[in-house]
Amino acid sequence: MLVLGIETSCDETAAAVVGPTGILSDVVYTQEVHAAYGGVVPELAARAHQERLAPTVRAALEQAGIERPDAVVATAGPGLVGALLVGWSFGRALAAGWGVPFRSVHHLEGHLLSPLLEPDPPEPPFLALVVSGGHTALYRCDGLGRYVTLGQTLDDAAGEVYDKVARVLGLGWPGGPYVDRAAAAGDPSAVAFPRPLPGELDFSFSGLKTAVLQHVQRPGRASDADVCASFQAAVVECLVTRVRQAARGTGIDQIAVAGGVAANSALRSALSSTDLRVHLPPRSRCTDNGAMIASAGRLHLLAEDPPPPLGVRSGWPL
Ligand code: KG4
Ligand code: ZN
């Protein structure tokens, strides 16, 4: 079954074709219009999706060498409602026109299952750490559609804090890759930032964010590189500590990592040096993409699972 997947939940206009042999095409257009505002502007995102979606879908079909897929799936949430509506309605209309099935996909499930697209995929039960701009959570995946939330952030998402730190340092947007790069030249022990670990397996990043923002306003503060490296060391330590605890508590040693922050070099190397079996998608498939949506939708279509209710949703628990 060849499935066209469409993703427009935030600021990436993405389309991909996934089939039995894996990814046939994966086209991602990252909207640049938001950089000037230092954050995603929902109205501009929806308009940019409208402009870019048709050429992006056409490119995905062309690169896959097909004229018509066997099914169409699209992200229905969580995300920005206006942005979601563009991709979801377009996907639904395409499916109706072609006379093929259509299915809504949960954005976080797309991220969570994205390591299954790689060689040597994790096998349920496995742990999954989803760290993105909007979400930071740790799950136990017992099978397709069977996810138990073990812990999640009580306040800010990890990616959101990366973006805020980059903004106060004037590094650019989205901030994660800039902080990641700046950190490479810094000393991770230059500033002793807090490593908040709230109850159970939850996360909390707002105290760390405040500590960084206060530090950079102080006279005689550390260099940007040292601030970035020290901040990143704190984030990575919190994430890796929780992953280890979850592995100990559940007795599961396979961990799939996904979401934009999974592209972070320090997180990747810290996880890789644990004794866990770590499944990390390549960097380009950690951030939002169509392949993860096509793949998650395809798995549910093949399983003939009952479809989620029609419509898009800004909030949608996994
Ligand atoms: O998964 P994603 O593309 O979109 C959401 O669903 O949120 O994640 C975007 C987030 C942004 O906050 C971005 O700054 C962060 O992922 N990010 C990174 C890196 N690359 C992207 N954070 C840290 N290090 C990176 N290399
Ligand atoms: Zn995402």
Side-chain angles (χ1 to χ4, degrees), residues 230-251:
S230 304
F231 157 71
Q232 183 157 282
V235 174
V236 169
E237 191 178 313
C238 293
L239 295 172
V240 175
T241 301
R242 287 311 197 211
V243 167
R244 282 184 201 275
Q245 283 173 338
R248 264 200 310 274
T250 57

PDB file of all heavy atoms in Angstrom, residues 230-251:
ATOM      1  N   SER A 230      26.355  25.020  28.809  1.00  0.00           N
ATOM      2  CA  SER A 230      25.919  24.705  30.169  1.00  0.00           C
ATOM      3  C   SER A 230      24.419  24.443  30.211  1.00  0.00           C
ATOM      4  O   SER A 230      23.949  23.537  30.911  1.00  0.00           O
ATOM      5  CB  SER A 230      26.261  25.856  31.123  1.00  0.00           C
ATOM      6  OG  SER A 230      27.643  26.131  31.070  1.00  0.00           O
ATOM      7  N   PHE A 231      23.661  25.252  29.471  1.00  0.00           N
ATOM      8  CA  PHE A 231      22.206  25.059  29.391  1.00  0.00           C
ATOM      9  C   PHE A 231      21.910  23.685  28.782  1.00  0.00           C
ATOM     10  O   PHE A 231      21.117  22.897  29.296  1.00  0.00           O
ATOM     11  CB  PHE A 231      21.583  26.184  28.552  1.00  0.00           C
ATOM     12  CG  PHE A 231      20.263  25.839  27.940  1.00  0.00           C
ATOM     13  CD1 PHE A 231      19.121  25.709  28.736  1.00  0.00           C
ATOM     14  CD2 PHE A 231      20.137  25.624  26.572  1.00  0.00           C
ATOM     15  CE1 PHE A 231      17.894  25.374  28.170  1.00  0.00           C
ATOM     16  CE2 PHE A 231      18.923  25.294  26.001  1.00  0.00           C
ATOM     17  CZ  PHE A 231      17.791  25.153  26.803  1.00  0.00           C
ATOM     18  N   GLN A 232      22.592  23.400  27.679  1.00  0.00           N
ATOM     19  CA  GLN A 232      22.355  22.134  26.972  1.00  0.00           C
ATOM     20  C   GLN A 232      22.703  20.933  27.856  1.00  0.00           C
ATOM     21  O   GLN A 232      21.992  19.925  27.857  1.00  0.00           O
ATOM     22  CB  GLN A 232      23.198  22.132  25.695  1.00  0.00           C
ATOM     23  CG  GLN A 232      23.002  20.927  24.841  1.00  0.00           C
ATOM     24  CD  GLN A 232      23.393  21.225  23.405  1.00  0.00           C
ATOM     25  OE1 GLN A 232      22.641  21.850  22.657  1.00  0.00           O
ATOM     26  NE2 GLN A 232      24.572  20.804  23.027  1.00  0.00           N
ATOM     27  N   ALA A 233      23.785  21.076  28.636  1.00  0.00           N
ATOM     28  CA  ALA A 233      24.179  19.975  29.531  1.00  0.00           C
ATOM     29  C   ALA A 233      23.069  19.704  30.542  1.00  0.00           C
ATOM     30  O   ALA A 233      22.778  18.547  30.868  1.00  0.00           O
ATOM     31  CB  ALA A 233      25.486  20.319  30.245  1.00  0.00           C
ATOM     32  N   ALA A 234      22.424  20.773  31.030  1.00  0.00           N
ATOM     33  CA  ALA A 234      21.345  20.606  32.009  1.00  0.00           C
ATOM     34  C   ALA A 234      20.138  19.913  31.370  1.00  0.00           C
ATOM     35  O   ALA A 234      19.579  18.975  31.942  1.00  0.00           O
ATOM     36  CB  ALA A 234      20.950  21.969  32.585  1.00  0.00           C
ATOM     37  N   VAL A 235      19.752  20.360  30.167  1.00  0.00           N
ATOM     38  CA  VAL A 235      18.600  19.744  29.489  1.00  0.00           C
ATOM     39  C   VAL A 235      18.872  18.265  29.239  1.00  0.00           C
ATOM     40  O   VAL A 235      18.048  17.394  29.556  1.00  0.00           O
ATOM     41  CB  VAL A 235      18.311  20.436  28.134  1.00  0.00           C
ATOM     42  CG1 VAL A 235      17.215  19.701  27.372  1.00  0.00           C
ATOM     43  CG2 VAL A 235      17.916  21.890  28.349  1.00  0.00           C
ATOM     44  N   VAL A 236      20.051  17.985  28.704  1.00  0.00           N
ATOM     45  CA  VAL A 236      20.386  16.610  28.339  1.00  0.00           C
ATOM     46  C   VAL A 236      20.427  15.727  29.589  1.00  0.00           C
ATOM     47  O   VAL A 236      19.913  14.605  29.584  1.00  0.00           O
ATOM     48  CB  VAL A 236      21.724  16.558  27.559  1.00  0.00           C
ATOM     49  CG1 VAL A 236      22.227  15.133  27.408  1.00  0.00           C
ATOM     50  CG2 VAL A 236      21.552  17.226  26.198  1.00  0.00           C
ATOM     51  N   GLU A 237      20.989  16.260  30.678  1.00  0.00           N
ATOM     52  CA  GLU A 237      21.050  15.453  31.900  1.00  0.00           C
ATOM     53  C   GLU A 237      19.644  15.106  32.395  1.00  0.00           C
ATOM     54  O   GLU A 237      19.379  13.966  32.787  1.00  0.00           O
ATOM     55  CB  GLU A 237      21.846  16.189  32.984  1.00  0.00           C
ATOM     56  CG  GLU A 237      22.157  15.270  34.157  1.00  0.00           C
ATOM     57  CD  GLU A 237      22.980  15.952  35.235  1.00  0.00           C
ATOM     58  OE1 GLU A 237      23.982  16.624  34.890  1.00  0.00           O
ATOM     59  OE2 GLU A 237      22.613  15.826  36.417  1.00  0.00           O
ATOM     60  N   CYS A 238      18.721  16.090  32.349  1.00  0.00           N
ATOM     61  CA  CYS A 238      17.340  15.817  32.794  1.00  0.00           C
ATOM     62  C   CYS A 238      16.715  14.736  31.917  1.00  0.00           C
ATOM     63  O   CYS A 238      16.092  13.798  32.429  1.00  0.00           O
ATOM     64  CB  CYS A 238      16.484  17.081  32.715  1.00  0.00           C
ATOM     65  SG  CYS A 238      16.991  18.347  33.888  1.00  0.00           S
ATOM     66  N   LEU A 239      16.870  14.868  30.614  1.00  0.00           N
ATOM     67  CA  LEU A 239      16.242  13.903  29.699  1.00  0.00           C
ATOM     68  C   LEU A 239      16.829  12.505  29.886  1.00  0.00           C
ATOM     69  O   LEU A 239      16.097  11.515  30.001  1.00  0.00           O
ATOM     70  CB  LEU A 239      16.403  14.357  28.245  1.00  0.00           C
ATOM     71  CG  LEU A 239      15.675  15.663  27.856  1.00  0.00           C
ATOM     72  CD1 LEU A 239      16.063  16.105  26.446  1.00  0.00           C
ATOM     73  CD2 LEU A 239      14.152  15.498  27.949  1.00  0.00           C
ATOM     74  N   VAL A 240      18.160  12.436  29.937  1.00  0.00           N
ATOM     75  CA  VAL A 240      18.803  11.117  30.021  1.00  0.00           C
ATOM     76  C   VAL A 240      18.538  10.463  31.381  1.00  0.00           C
ATOM     77  O   VAL A 240      18.309   9.250  31.460  1.00  0.00           O
ATOM     78  CB  VAL A 240      20.319  11.227  29.712  1.00  0.00           C
ATOM     79  CG1 VAL A 240      21.017   9.892  29.920  1.00  0.00           C
ATOM     80  CG2 VAL A 240      20.526  11.713  28.283  1.00  0.00           C
ATOM     81  N   THR A 241      18.490  11.270  32.446  1.00  0.00           N
ATOM     82  CA  THR A 241      18.176  10.721  33.774  1.00  0.00           C
ATOM     83  C   THR A 241      16.816  10.043  33.763  1.00  0.00           C
ATOM     84  O   THR A 241      16.639   8.923  34.266  1.00  0.00           O
ATOM     85  CB  THR A 241      18.184  11.852  34.836  1.00  0.00           C
ATOM     86  OG1 THR A 241      19.463  12.451  34.824  1.00  0.00           O
ATOM     87  CG2 THR A 241      17.883  11.305  36.227  1.00  0.00           C
ATOM     88  N   ARG A 242      15.833  10.723  33.167  1.00  0.00           N
ATOM     89  CA  ARG A 242      14.480  10.172  33.109  1.00  0.00           C
ATOM     90  C   ARG A 242      14.411   8.902  32.254  1.00  0.00           C
ATOM     91  O   ARG A 242      13.706   7.949  32.606  1.00  0.00           O
ATOM     92  CB  ARG A 242      13.508  11.201  32.529  1.00  0.00           C
ATOM     93  CG  ARG A 242      13.167  12.348  33.472  1.00  0.00           C
ATOM     94  CD  ARG A 242      12.791  11.824  34.821  1.00  0.00           C
ATOM     95  NE  ARG A 242      12.093  12.802  35.643  1.00  0.00           N
ATOM     96  CZ  ARG A 242      12.177  12.851  36.966  1.00  0.00           C
ATOM     97  NH1 ARG A 242      12.966  12.005  37.611  1.00  0.00           N
ATOM     98  NH2 ARG A 242      11.480  13.734  37.651  1.00  0.00           N
ATOM     99  N   VAL A 243      15.128   8.917  31.165  1.00  0.00           N
ATOM    100  CA  VAL A 243      15.137   7.732  30.293  1.00  0.00           C
ATOM    101  C   VAL A 243      15.707   6.535  31.055  1.00  0.00           C
ATOM    102  O   VAL A 243      15.142   5.433  31.047  1.00  0.00           O
ATOM    103  CB  VAL A 243      15.951   8.011  29.002  1.00  0.00           C
ATOM    104  CG1 VAL A 243      16.245   6.723  28.256  1.00  0.00           C
ATOM    105  CG2 VAL A 243      15.191   8.989  28.111  1.00  0.00           C
ATOM    106  N   ARG A 244      16.805   6.754  31.763  1.00  0.00           N
ATOM    107  CA  ARG A 244      17.416   5.665  32.542  1.00  0.00           C
ATOM    108  C   ARG A 244      16.465   5.160  33.619  1.00  0.00           C
ATOM    109  O   ARG A 244      16.333   3.957  33.833  1.00  0.00           O
ATOM    110  CB  ARG A 244      18.685   6.169  33.236  1.00  0.00           C
ATOM    111  CG  ARG A 244      19.897   6.287  32.358  1.00  0.00           C
ATOM    112  CD  ARG A 244      21.032   6.715  33.304  1.00  0.00           C
ATOM    113  NE  ARG A 244      22.141   7.336  32.631  1.00  0.00           N
ATOM    114  CZ  ARG A 244      23.135   6.653  32.076  1.00  0.00           C
ATOM    115  NH1 ARG A 244      23.127   5.344  32.117  1.00  0.00           N
ATOM    116  NH2 ARG A 244      24.118   7.281  31.488  1.00  0.00           N
ATOM    117  N   GLN A 245      15.803   6.125  34.305  1.00  0.00           N
ATOM    118  CA  GLN A 245      14.859   5.725  35.367  1.00  0.00           C
ATOM    119  C   GLN A 245      13.715   4.905  34.790  1.00  0.00           C
ATOM    120  O   GLN A 245      13.300   3.911  35.371  1.00  0.00           O
ATOM    121  CB  GLN A 245      14.276   6.969  36.047  1.00  0.00           C
ATOM    122  CG  GLN A 245      15.230   7.626  37.020  1.00  0.00           C
ATOM    123  CD  GLN A 245      14.679   8.947  37.528  1.00  0.00           C
ATOM    124  OE1 GLN A 245      13.827   9.550  36.890  1.00  0.00           O
ATOM    125  NE2 GLN A 245      15.172   9.399  38.667  1.00  0.00           N
ATOM    126  N   ALA A 246      13.205   5.341  33.636  1.00  0.00           N
ATOM    127  CA  ALA A 246      12.087   4.626  33.012  1.00  0.00           C
ATOM    128  C   ALA A 246      12.533   3.227  32.603  1.00  0.00           C
ATOM    129  O   ALA A 246      11.785   2.255  32.750  1.00  0.00           O
ATOM    130  CB  ALA A 246      11.571   5.403  31.806  1.00  0.00           C
ATOM    131  N   ALA A 247      13.755   3.123  32.099  1.00  0.00           N
ATOM    132  CA  ALA A 247      14.264   1.815  31.687  1.00  0.00           C
ATOM    133  C   ALA A 247      14.385   0.884  32.902  1.00  0.00           C
ATOM    134  O   ALA A 247      13.976  -0.278  32.850  1.00  0.00           O
ATOM    135  CB  ALA A 247      15.617   1.982  30.991  1.00  0.00           C
ATOM    136  N   ARG A 248      14.901   1.424  33.988  1.00  0.00           N
ATOM    137  CA  ARG A 248      15.028   0.621  35.222  1.00  0.00           C
ATOM    138  C   ARG A 248      13.657   0.205  35.735  1.00  0.00           C
ATOM    139  O   ARG A 248      13.422  -0.960  36.049  1.00  0.00           O
ATOM    140  CB  ARG A 248      15.740   1.436  36.312  1.00  0.00           C
ATOM    141  CG  ARG A 248      17.226   1.168  36.408  1.00  0.00           C
ATOM    142  CD  ARG A 248      17.767   1.593  37.778  1.00  0.00           C
ATOM    143  NE  ARG A 248      17.378   2.945  38.145  1.00  0.00           N
ATOM    144  CZ  ARG A 248      18.052   4.041  37.787  1.00  0.00           C
ATOM    145  NH1 ARG A 248      19.147   3.929  37.065  1.00  0.00           N
ATOM    146  NH2 ARG A 248      17.639   5.244  38.163  1.00  0.00           N
ATOM    147  N   GLY A 249      12.733   1.174  35.775  1.00  0.00           N
ATOM    148  CA  GLY A 249      11.404   0.928  36.343  1.00  0.00           C
ATOM    149  C   GLY A 249      10.576  -0.064  35.543  1.00  0.00           C
ATOM    150  O   GLY A 249       9.780  -0.812  36.097  1.00  0.00           O
ATOM    151  N   THR A 250      10.754  -0.059  34.222  1.00  0.00           N
ATOM    152  CA  THR A 250       9.925  -0.926  33.374  1.00  0.00           C
ATOM    153  C   THR A 250      10.661  -2.198  32.970  1.00  0.00           C
ATOM    154  O   THR A 250      10.030  -3.132  32.457  1.00  0.00           O
ATOM    155  CB  THR A 250       9.526  -0.194  32.068  1.00  0.00           C
ATOM    156  OG1 THR A 250      10.727   0.210  31.395  1.00  0.00           O
ATOM    157  CG2 THR A 250       8.663   1.018  32.343  1.00  0.00           C
ATOM    158  N   GLY A 251      11.969  -2.187  33.121  1.00  0.00           N
ATOM    159  CA  GLY A 251      12.754  -3.332  32.659  1.00  0.00           C
ATOM    160  C   GLY A 251      12.862  -3.377  31.138  1.00  0.00           C
ATOM    161  O   GLY A 251      13.231  -4.401  30.569  1.00  0.00           O
TER     162      GLY A 251
END
